Amino acid sequence: MSRKKETYVYGSLKERFQLEWKIYALAFGFILIADWIGQIRIPVGKGMFILFPIFYAIILGVACGPQVLKIVNSKQVKAASKLVVVGICPFIAKLGITAGANINTILESGPVLLLHGFGNLLGPLLAVPVAILLGMKREAIGACHSINREYHMALINNIYGPDSAEARGSLSIYIVGGMVGTIYFGLMASLVGMTGWFHPQALGLASGVGAGIMMASASASLRAIYPAWSETISAMASVGETIAGITGMYITMLIAIPMCDKYYRLIEPVLGRFALKKNDHPEKSA
């Protein structure tokens, strides 16, 4: 028997607030706590990684969920997931305005900056097979098409719908990225920077991947390794971040998502046979 789909339609704003007030109160409390803690910088060798406020907010949210402290129930959790798109709308509007207002900047930029955003297309080629082997279905498209920040999620929700498997995959990586992405980028930048294989200017540009907190973590690690290049690294990271945010929307919409969708359709019938599946060993009847 199929379960009835919850639509979360309310007769008025007052009715909605009466049912969801705890979500808003907790979110406001998490903001205050996370902002009070601020950034925590942890040295790692010559570099460092940074814990950002979003990390604490996500941890607090998980702790208050129905599997831990049970301050909110499953229905409230599902209602909160619908509000994610609403919460990121201001960021999406800002990105859209920035992209439209800087078309000339993109066209006038050098080939390195124009090609910068295309580096993200390598990720889906590596990630989709792994996701399929781990048992993901169409969630793999949303999870693997990009690093899944705000505008990526908005595109996935617009193309496939907020209740789709693709949207669930995108939201999952958005949350995981907020928790461990900054740590990963800081450590990765430290490891690559200490090899000496790349020029600090190139490393600074590579730090701008379209996610502000990840850029800050990576560039901070690089500045610690190359103090003489600190200003150049910061400048190149900002340029890379700006270009990735502008061109990234078009690359994701026109190339990454369609490519990831077709790639999934192509390899899933083959790799899906070897995927980890739930209930591989069903209980024997008594």
PDB file of all heavy atoms in Angstrom, residues 127-154:
ATOM      1  N   ALA A 127      32.552  10.414  -9.789  1.00  0.00           N
ATOM      2  CA  ALA A 127      31.653  10.208  -8.655  1.00  0.00           C
ATOM      3  C   ALA A 127      30.447   9.330  -8.976  1.00  0.00           C
ATOM      4  O   ALA A 127      30.001   8.557  -8.121  1.00  0.00           O
ATOM      5  CB  ALA A 127      31.179  11.566  -8.126  1.00  0.00           C
ATOM      6  N   VAL A 128      29.884   9.457 -10.178  1.00  0.00           N
ATOM      7  CA  VAL A 128      28.663   8.706 -10.506  1.00  0.00           C
ATOM      8  C   VAL A 128      28.868   7.195 -10.393  1.00  0.00           C
ATOM      9  O   VAL A 128      28.032   6.498  -9.794  1.00  0.00           O
ATOM     10  CB  VAL A 128      28.136   9.102 -11.898  1.00  0.00           C
ATOM     11  CG1 VAL A 128      26.996   8.180 -12.321  1.00  0.00           C
ATOM     12  CG2 VAL A 128      27.651  10.538 -11.888  1.00  0.00           C
ATOM     13  N   PRO A 129      29.944   6.615 -10.944  1.00  0.00           N
ATOM     14  CA  PRO A 129      30.130   5.166 -10.779  1.00  0.00           C
ATOM     15  C   PRO A 129      30.221   4.737  -9.313  1.00  0.00           C
ATOM     16  O   PRO A 129      29.665   3.700  -8.939  1.00  0.00           O
ATOM     17  CB  PRO A 129      31.451   4.902 -11.518  1.00  0.00           C
ATOM     18  CG  PRO A 129      31.588   6.008 -12.487  1.00  0.00           C
ATOM     19  CD  PRO A 129      30.995   7.196 -11.814  1.00  0.00           C
ATOM     20  N   VAL A 130      30.904   5.549  -8.502  1.00  0.00           N
ATOM     21  CA  VAL A 130      31.022   5.221  -7.077  1.00  0.00           C
ATOM     22  C   VAL A 130      29.651   5.260  -6.411  1.00  0.00           C
ATOM     23  O   VAL A 130      29.293   4.370  -5.623  1.00  0.00           O
ATOM     24  CB  VAL A 130      31.987   6.186  -6.372  1.00  0.00           C
ATOM     25  CG1 VAL A 130      32.025   5.919  -4.866  1.00  0.00           C
ATOM     26  CG2 VAL A 130      33.391   6.059  -6.962  1.00  0.00           C
ATOM     27  N   ALA A 131      28.864   6.283  -6.738  1.00  0.00           N
ATOM     28  CA  ALA A 131      27.526   6.410  -6.151  1.00  0.00           C
ATOM     29  C   ALA A 131      26.645   5.226  -6.528  1.00  0.00           C
ATOM     30  O   ALA A 131      25.896   4.696  -5.699  1.00  0.00           O
ATOM     31  CB  ALA A 131      26.878   7.723  -6.605  1.00  0.00           C
ATOM     32  N   ILE A 132      26.722   4.790  -7.776  1.00  0.00           N
ATOM     33  CA  ILE A 132      25.923   3.644  -8.225  1.00  0.00           C
ATOM     34  C   ILE A 132      26.343   2.378  -7.483  1.00  0.00           C
ATOM     35  O   ILE A 132      25.499   1.595  -7.024  1.00  0.00           O
ATOM     36  CB  ILE A 132      26.051   3.458  -9.742  1.00  0.00           C
ATOM     37  CG1 ILE A 132      25.409   4.637 -10.475  1.00  0.00           C
ATOM     38  CG2 ILE A 132      25.402   2.149 -10.186  1.00  0.00           C
ATOM     39  CD1 ILE A 132      25.620   4.624 -11.974  1.00  0.00           C
ATOM     40  N   LEU A 133      27.638   2.181  -7.349  1.00  0.00           N
ATOM     41  CA  LEU A 133      28.138   0.990  -6.661  1.00  0.00           C
ATOM     42  C   LEU A 133      27.757   1.004  -5.179  1.00  0.00           C
ATOM     43  O   LEU A 133      27.638  -0.060  -4.559  1.00  0.00           O
ATOM     44  CB  LEU A 133      29.656   0.888  -6.809  1.00  0.00           C
ATOM     45  CG  LEU A 133      30.161   0.562  -8.223  1.00  0.00           C
ATOM     46  CD1 LEU A 133      31.675   0.646  -8.272  1.00  0.00           C
ATOM     47  CD2 LEU A 133      29.689  -0.828  -8.652  1.00  0.00           C
ATOM     48  N   LEU A 134      27.557   2.180  -4.622  1.00  0.00           N
ATOM     49  CA  LEU A 134      27.135   2.291  -3.225  1.00  0.00           C
ATOM     50  C   LEU A 134      25.629   2.115  -3.058  1.00  0.00           C
ATOM     51  O   LEU A 134      25.124   2.179  -1.937  1.00  0.00           O
ATOM     52  CB  LEU A 134      27.563   3.646  -2.645  1.00  0.00           C
ATOM     53  CG  LEU A 134      29.075   3.829  -2.442  1.00  0.00           C
ATOM     54  CD1 LEU A 134      29.373   5.252  -1.970  1.00  0.00           C
ATOM     55  CD2 LEU A 134      29.598   2.816  -1.425  1.00  0.00           C
ATOM     56  N   GLY A 135      24.927   1.919  -4.162  1.00  0.00           N
ATOM     57  CA  GLY A 135      23.499   1.629  -4.075  1.00  0.00           C
ATOM     58  C   GLY A 135      22.577   2.780  -4.402  1.00  0.00           C
ATOM     59  O   GLY A 135      21.356   2.635  -4.298  1.00  0.00           O
ATOM     60  N   MET A 136      23.102   3.920  -4.812  1.00  0.00           N
ATOM     61  CA  MET A 136      22.253   5.052  -5.153  1.00  0.00           C
ATOM     62  C   MET A 136      21.640   4.849  -6.528  1.00  0.00           C
ATOM     63  O   MET A 136      22.262   4.263  -7.423  1.00  0.00           O
ATOM     64  CB  MET A 136      23.060   6.355  -5.122  1.00  0.00           C
ATOM     65  CG  MET A 136      23.600   6.727  -3.759  1.00  0.00           C
ATOM     66  SD  MET A 136      24.541   8.279  -3.758  1.00  0.00           S
ATOM     67  CE  MET A 136      23.210   9.461  -3.972  1.00  0.00           C
ATOM     68  N   LYS A 137      20.427   5.326  -6.680  1.00  0.00           N
ATOM     69  CA  LYS A 137      19.765   5.300  -7.983  1.00  0.00           C
ATOM     70  C   LYS A 137      19.855   6.702  -8.583  1.00  0.00           C
ATOM     71  O   LYS A 137      20.938   7.257  -8.688  1.00  0.00           O
ATOM     72  CB  LYS A 137      18.314   4.831  -7.819  1.00  0.00           C
ATOM     73  CG  LYS A 137      18.220   3.378  -7.372  1.00  0.00           C
ATOM     74  CD  LYS A 137      18.835   2.430  -8.395  1.00  0.00           C
ATOM     75  CE  LYS A 137      18.681   0.982  -8.001  1.00  0.00           C
ATOM     76  NZ  LYS A 137      19.316   0.068  -8.979  1.00  0.00           N
ATOM     77  N   ARG A 138      18.712   7.295  -8.932  1.00  0.00           N
ATOM     78  CA  ARG A 138      18.761   8.613  -9.576  1.00  0.00           C
ATOM     79  C   ARG A 138      19.205   9.701  -8.606  1.00  0.00           C
ATOM     80  O   ARG A 138      19.486  10.828  -9.026  1.00  0.00           O
ATOM     81  CB  ARG A 138      17.404   8.947 -10.202  1.00  0.00           C
ATOM     82  CG  ARG A 138      17.097   8.076 -11.425  1.00  0.00           C
ATOM     83  CD  ARG A 138      15.944   8.631 -12.226  1.00  0.00           C
ATOM     84  NE  ARG A 138      16.199   9.951 -12.758  1.00  0.00           N
ATOM     85  CZ  ARG A 138      16.838  10.185 -13.906  1.00  0.00           C
ATOM     86  NH1 ARG A 138      17.323   9.180 -14.623  1.00  0.00           N
ATOM     87  NH2 ARG A 138      17.009  11.414 -14.315  1.00  0.00           N
ATOM     88  N   GLU A 139      19.270   9.392  -7.328  1.00  0.00           N
ATOM     89  CA  GLU A 139      19.865  10.339  -6.380  1.00  0.00           C
ATOM     90  C   GLU A 139      21.300  10.672  -6.774  1.00  0.00           C
ATOM     91  O   GLU A 139      21.802  11.750  -6.455  1.00  0.00           O
ATOM     92  CB  GLU A 139      19.853   9.759  -4.965  1.00  0.00           C
ATOM     93  CG  GLU A 139      18.494   9.633  -4.329  1.00  0.00           C
ATOM     94  CD  GLU A 139      17.801   8.324  -4.666  1.00  0.00           C
ATOM     95  OE1 GLU A 139      18.339   7.573  -5.504  1.00  0.00           O
ATOM     96  OE2 GLU A 139      16.728   8.053  -4.099  1.00  0.00           O
ATOM     97  N   ALA A 140      21.954   9.737  -7.478  1.00  0.00           N
ATOM     98  CA  ALA A 140      23.343   9.944  -7.884  1.00  0.00           C
ATOM     99  C   ALA A 140      23.485  11.147  -8.812  1.00  0.00           C
ATOM    100  O   ALA A 140      24.516  11.828  -8.789  1.00  0.00           O
ATOM    101  CB  ALA A 140      23.876   8.691  -8.579  1.00  0.00           C
ATOM    102  N   ILE A 141      22.469  11.434  -9.618  1.00  0.00           N
ATOM    103  CA  ILE A 141      22.539  12.579 -10.534  1.00  0.00           C
ATOM    104  C   ILE A 141      22.613  13.874  -9.746  1.00  0.00           C
ATOM    105  O   ILE A 141      23.458  14.741 -10.009  1.00  0.00           O
ATOM    106  CB  ILE A 141      21.334  12.584 -11.485  1.00  0.00           C
ATOM    107  CG1 ILE A 141      21.336  11.314 -12.340  1.00  0.00           C
ATOM    108  CG2 ILE A 141      21.330  13.833 -12.357  1.00  0.00           C
ATOM    109  CD1 ILE A 141      20.089  11.126 -13.169  1.00  0.00           C
ATOM    110  N   GLY A 142      21.724  14.022  -8.770  1.00  0.00           N
ATOM    111  CA  GLY A 142      21.746  15.230  -7.950  1.00  0.00           C
ATOM    112  C   GLY A 142      22.976  15.316  -7.068  1.00  0.00           C
ATOM    113  O   GLY A 142      23.522  16.393  -6.849  1.00  0.00           O
ATOM    114  N   ALA A 143      23.432  14.174  -6.583  1.00  0.00           N
ATOM    115  CA  ALA A 143      24.557  14.166  -5.651  1.00  0.00           C
ATOM    116  C   ALA A 143      25.892  14.417  -6.345  1.00  0.00           C
ATOM    117  O   ALA A 143      26.798  14.999  -5.745  1.00  0.00           O
ATOM    118  CB  ALA A 143      24.610  12.831  -4.908  1.00  0.00           C
ATOM    119  N   CYS A 144      26.019  13.980  -7.593  1.00  0.00           N
ATOM    120  CA  CYS A 144      27.336  13.937  -8.238  1.00  0.00           C
ATOM    121  C   CYS A 144      27.552  14.973  -9.328  1.00  0.00           C
ATOM    122  O   CYS A 144      28.672  15.092  -9.834  1.00  0.00           O
ATOM    123  CB  CYS A 144      27.580  12.549  -8.828  1.00  0.00           C
ATOM    124  SG  CYS A 144      27.500  11.206  -7.635  1.00  0.00           S
ATOM    125  N   HIS A 145      26.543  15.724  -9.708  1.00  0.00           N
ATOM    126  CA  HIS A 145      26.710  16.623 -10.853  1.00  0.00           C
ATOM    127  C   HIS A 145      27.588  17.825 -10.538  1.00  0.00           C
ATOM    128  O   HIS A 145      28.086  18.495 -11.447  1.00  0.00           O
ATOM    129  CB  HIS A 145      25.337  17.093 -11.350  1.00  0.00           C
ATOM    130  CG  HIS A 145      24.741  18.184 -10.532  1.00  0.00           C
ATOM    131  ND1 HIS A 145      24.111  17.944  -9.328  1.00  0.00           N
ATOM    132  CD2 HIS A 145      24.680  19.529 -10.728  1.00  0.00           C
ATOM    133  CE1 HIS A 145      23.687  19.086  -8.815  1.00  0.00           C
ATOM    134  NE2 HIS A 145      24.013  20.055  -9.641  1.00  0.00           N
ATOM    135  N   SER A 146      27.791  18.126  -9.243  1.00  0.00           N
ATOM    136  CA  SER A 146      28.550  19.313  -8.852  1.00  0.00           C
ATOM    137  C   SER A 146      28.906  19.199  -7.372  1.00  0.00           C
ATOM    138  O   SER A 146      28.662  18.167  -6.746  1.00  0.00           O
ATOM    139  CB  SER A 146      27.718  20.584  -9.082  1.00  0.00           C
ATOM    140  OG  SER A 146      26.625  20.602  -8.159  1.00  0.00           O
ATOM    141  N   ILE A 147      29.444  20.299  -6.803  1.00  0.00           N
ATOM    142  CA  ILE A 147      29.717  20.317  -5.367  1.00  0.00           C
ATOM    143  C   ILE A 147      28.461  20.657  -4.571  1.00  0.00           C
ATOM    144  O   ILE A 147      28.498  20.731  -3.343  1.00  0.00           O
ATOM    145  CB  ILE A 147      30.835  21.312  -5.005  1.00  0.00           C
ATOM    146  CG1 ILE A 147      30.469  22.727  -5.473  1.00  0.00           C
ATOM    147  CG2 ILE A 147      32.164  20.871  -5.606  1.00  0.00           C
ATOM    148  CD1 ILE A 147      31.453  23.780  -5.009  1.00  0.00           C
ATOM    149  N   ASN A 148      27.359  20.918  -5.272  1.00  0.00           N
ATOM    150  CA  ASN A 148      26.037  21.094  -4.656  1.00  0.00           C
ATOM    151  C   ASN A 148      25.987  22.212  -3.625  1.00  0.00           C
ATOM    152  O   ASN A 148      25.728  21.981  -2.446  1.00  0.00           O
ATOM    153  CB  ASN A 148      25.569  19.776  -4.025  1.00  0.00           C
ATOM    154  CG  ASN A 148      24.975  18.828  -5.036  1.00  0.00           C
ATOM    155  OD1 ASN A 148      23.895  19.071  -5.571  1.00  0.00           O
ATOM    156  ND2 ASN A 148      25.707  17.769  -5.331  1.00  0.00           N
ATOM    157  N   ARG A 149      26.201  23.417  -4.108  1.00  0.00           N
ATOM    158  CA  ARG A 149      25.924  24.578  -3.276  1.00  0.00           C
ATOM    159  C   ARG A 149      24.577  25.159  -3.693  1.00  0.00           C
ATOM    160  O   ARG A 149      23.805  24.511  -4.390  1.00  0.00           O
ATOM    161  CB  ARG A 149      27.051  25.613  -3.381  1.00  0.00           C
ATOM    162  CG  ARG A 149      28.432  25.104  -3.023  1.00  0.00           C
ATOM    163  CD  ARG A 149      28.463  24.055  -1.935  1.00  0.00           C
ATOM    164  NE  ARG A 149      28.061  24.540  -0.627  1.00  0.00           N
ATOM    165  CZ  ARG A 149      27.743  23.746   0.383  1.00  0.00           C
ATOM    166  NH1 ARG A 149      27.724  22.431   0.217  1.00  0.00           N
ATOM    167  NH2 ARG A 149      27.416  24.260   1.545  1.00  0.00           N
ATOM    168  N   GLU A 150      24.295  26.396  -3.261  1.00  0.00           N
ATOM    169  CA  GLU A 150      22.939  26.907  -3.371  1.00  0.00           C
ATOM    170  C   GLU A 150      22.385  26.899  -4.794  1.00  0.00           C
ATOM    171  O   GLU A 150      21.285  26.397  -5.046  1.00  0.00           O
ATOM    172  CB  GLU A 150      22.880  28.335  -2.794  1.00  0.00           C
ATOM    173  CG  GLU A 150      22.932  28.409  -1.285  1.00  0.00           C
ATOM    174  CD  GLU A 150      24.362  28.287  -0.747  1.00  0.00           C
ATOM    175  OE1 GLU A 150      25.314  28.301  -1.563  1.00  0.00           O
ATOM    176  OE2 GLU A 150      24.526  28.181   0.488  1.00  0.00           O
ATOM    177  N   TYR A 151      23.149  27.461  -5.740  1.00  0.00           N
ATOM    178  CA  TYR A 151      22.581  27.561  -7.089  1.00  0.00           C
ATOM    179  C   TYR A 151      22.502  26.203  -7.780  1.00  0.00           C
ATOM    180  O   TYR A 151      21.632  25.982  -8.630  1.00  0.00           O
ATOM    181  CB  TYR A 151      23.356  28.566  -7.941  1.00  0.00           C
ATOM    182  CG  TYR A 151      24.776  28.191  -8.306  1.00  0.00           C
ATOM    183  CD1 TYR A 151      25.044  27.465  -9.458  1.00  0.00           C
ATOM    184  CD2 TYR A 151      25.843  28.595  -7.515  1.00  0.00           C
ATOM    185  CE1 TYR A 151      26.342  27.151  -9.812  1.00  0.00           C
ATOM    186  CE2 TYR A 151      27.144  28.293  -7.864  1.00  0.00           C
ATOM    187  CZ  TYR A 151      27.397  27.570  -9.008  1.00  0.00           C
ATOM    188  OH  TYR A 151      28.683  27.253  -9.359  1.00  0.00           O
ATOM    189  N   HIS A 152      23.374  25.267  -7.403  1.00  0.00           N
ATOM    190  CA  HIS A 152      23.251  23.913  -7.948  1.00  0.00           C
ATOM    191  C   HIS A 152      21.935  23.272  -7.490  1.00  0.00           C
ATOM    192  O   HIS A 152      21.229  22.642  -8.278  1.00  0.00           O
ATOM    193  CB  HIS A 152      24.422  23.047  -7.488  1.00  0.00           C
ATOM    194  CG  HIS A 152      25.764  23.561  -7.898  1.00  0.00           C
ATOM    195  ND1 HIS A 152      26.690  24.016  -6.993  1.00  0.00           N
ATOM    196  CD2 HIS A 152      26.325  23.711  -9.126  1.00  0.00           C
ATOM    197  CE1 HIS A 152      27.779  24.402  -7.643  1.00  0.00           C
ATOM    198  NE2 HIS A 152      27.581  24.235  -8.926  1.00  0.00           N
ATOM    199  N   MET A 153      21.638  23.426  -6.201  1.00  0.00           N
ATOM    200  CA  MET A 153      20.389  22.870  -5.668  1.00  0.00           C
ATOM    201  C   MET A 153      19.176  23.493  -6.332  1.00  0.00           C
ATOM    202  O   MET A 153      18.191  22.811  -6.624  1.00  0.00           O
ATOM    203  CB  MET A 153      20.326  23.089  -4.153  1.00  0.00           C
ATOM    204  CG  MET A 153      21.307  22.255  -3.349  1.00  0.00           C
ATOM    205  SD  MET A 153      21.158  22.610  -1.598  1.00  0.00           S
ATOM    206  CE  MET A 153      19.431  22.256  -1.316  1.00  0.00           C
ATOM    207  N   ALA A 154      19.247  24.808  -6.559  1.00  0.00           N
ATOM    208  CA  ALA A 154      18.117  25.483  -7.188  1.00  0.00           C
ATOM    209  C   ALA A 154      17.878  24.947  -8.595  1.00  0.00           C
ATOM    210  O   ALA A 154      16.727  24.736  -9.002  1.00  0.00           O
ATOM    211  CB  ALA A 154      18.376  26.990  -7.237  1.00  0.00           C
TER     212      ALA A 154
END
